[in-house]
Amino acid sequence: MDDIDAMFTHLLGEMDHLSQSLKTEGDSPEADSAAQTEKTFSIGFNDLNESLNELEDNDLDALMADLESKSAAQEPLTSEPNIGGTNDQTAPPATTQKHEPATALPPPPGTDVSCRNMQMREPQTKAEKIKLALEKLKEAKMRKLIVKVLMSDGSSKTLMVDERQSVREVLDKLFEKTHCDCSTAWSLCETNPELLIERTFEDHEHLVEPLSAWTRYSENKVYFLPRPQKYVMFTDPQIFYMWKKDKAALNAINQQAKDLLVKENFGGSTLIVPDLEGTLYLKEDGKKVWKPRYFVLRASGIYFVPKGKTKSSTDLACFVHFEKINIYMTKNYKQKYRAPTNFCFMLKHPCIQKDSPYIKLLCCDDEKTLVLWVNSIRIAKYGTALYKNYQAAMKRASPTKTLQSAAYKGKTFLL
């Protein structure tokens, strides 16, 4: 019984530790409620008014039309007849409402009469539209975000995104605004300067959801960038499904063999996860020590061989499951965490936005191993959704244009 009580106490402590790590330091619910409300409407701006000003006129008009239609749909019907005749709180007769005195008392201060008057006529100026949009956004039931998306040249585009829109749909919007070549490499990426990490959003994700996990005063940013390795598992599947062969054998694979590999591993009734295994360096919790461990990839997660055990499946211990974690690329962890190399990646819950004992850090010997592990984990985590994303991206891509510039090799980290 003492052992059970001790285990239970330890579990409660771990749960409390995790809940504390997900909270933002110094946030007061009372003092920061208005700021948090602002955050739920815009990402990448100082305030909501600034984000609305950044919207192009046609985008602002579309937002206004959408908000007006939702407001009309939510308006209660007050003029319906009292069919049952049992409600005592009936409305006064129409004649009583018709002959009200002409000199009605002015409304009390603080009411939104000016806003209602504005709604009675079509707002003309951008300032009027923004004022009305601010009111409507606060009434809207559906989550919407005005997002500043940064480009590699320092410019930006402002988009209105609602919770129904996938990353693929947002990319299509950006293609129209930037007139780029629609290559399959174009991606939306999030950066976290505090943790020195970057993640490429998957095309099937709904963008509002991961952005809503950001803290109010976060320095995180959204970038629109080419990432040529985004779909490398389909352009060069031999890297992942024939990884034990030498480099010469992998380079000798022709396109027909590549297509067959994709069909065998992604086109069937079930997806086949690469049978990847090997030694990676693991950063121990709370220490700046990295120890080599032998890891094995499975469809459900990553497993490792405990000290003194064999590589048999019965001896494997679970390192992490994929359901509640995302995978992030890192920068300069050789200096930040004294990693053996700079080829590291991070596994963490999306709500953890700062250093935490619940972050998992792994380090590879070289870039080839890093690409192999990161993308194999993506295959295991997202399954056939990745293949559907790739097929949709191929349909959208321009057949006559490809991304050739050496400036866009996908290795530049923007933090």
Side-chain angles (χ1 to χ4, degrees), residues 17 27 132 171 175 194 217 238 266 277 327 342 363 366 370:
H17 194 176
D27 279 354
L132 186 55
L171 286 173
F175 289 157
E194 182 171 345
Y217 298 108
Q238 74 279 8
F266 293 92
E277 58 184 59
I327 183 167
N342 271 324
C363 183
D366 50 45
L370 177 66

Side-chain angles (χ1 to χ4, degrees), residues 8-49:
F8 186 69
T9 303
H10 177 72
L11 177 61
L12 288 177
E14 288 291 304
M15 292 173 65
D16 182 64
H17 194 176
L18 177 59
S19 64
Q20 291 299 322
S21 70
L22 296 181
K23 292 181 181 178
T24 307
E25 292 184 11
D27 279 354
S28 169
E30 295 82 6
D32 202 43
S33 58
Q36 189 64 26
T37 301
E38 293 279 318
K39 177 248 178 184
T40 60
F41 295 129
S42 61
I43 290 289
F45 298 93
N46 293 324
D47 55 57
L48 181 57
N49 191 69

Side-chain angles (χ1 to χ4, degrees), residues 42-62:
S42 61
I43 290 289
F45 298 93
N46 293 324
D47 55 57
L48 181 57
N49 191 69
E50 178 192 354
S51 63
L52 287 168
N53 265 300
E54 286 293 317
L55 281 175
E56 296 177 5
D57 289 340
N58 59 330
D59 291 331
L60 183 58
D61 290 339

Side-chain angles (χ1 to χ4, degrees), residues 226-239:
R227 288 290 179 259
Q229 294 177 355
K230 181 178 180 179
Y231 291 124
V232 66
M233 67 283 296
F234 305 114
T235 57
D236 292 297
Q238 74 279 8
I239 295 175

Side-chain angles (χ1 to χ4, degrees), residues 201-215:
F201 293 120
E202 303 296 348
D203 287 1
H204 64 272
E205 288 185 78
H206 290 88
L207 185 61
V208 168
E209 185 175 346
L211 295 186
S212 298
W214 292 6
T215 54

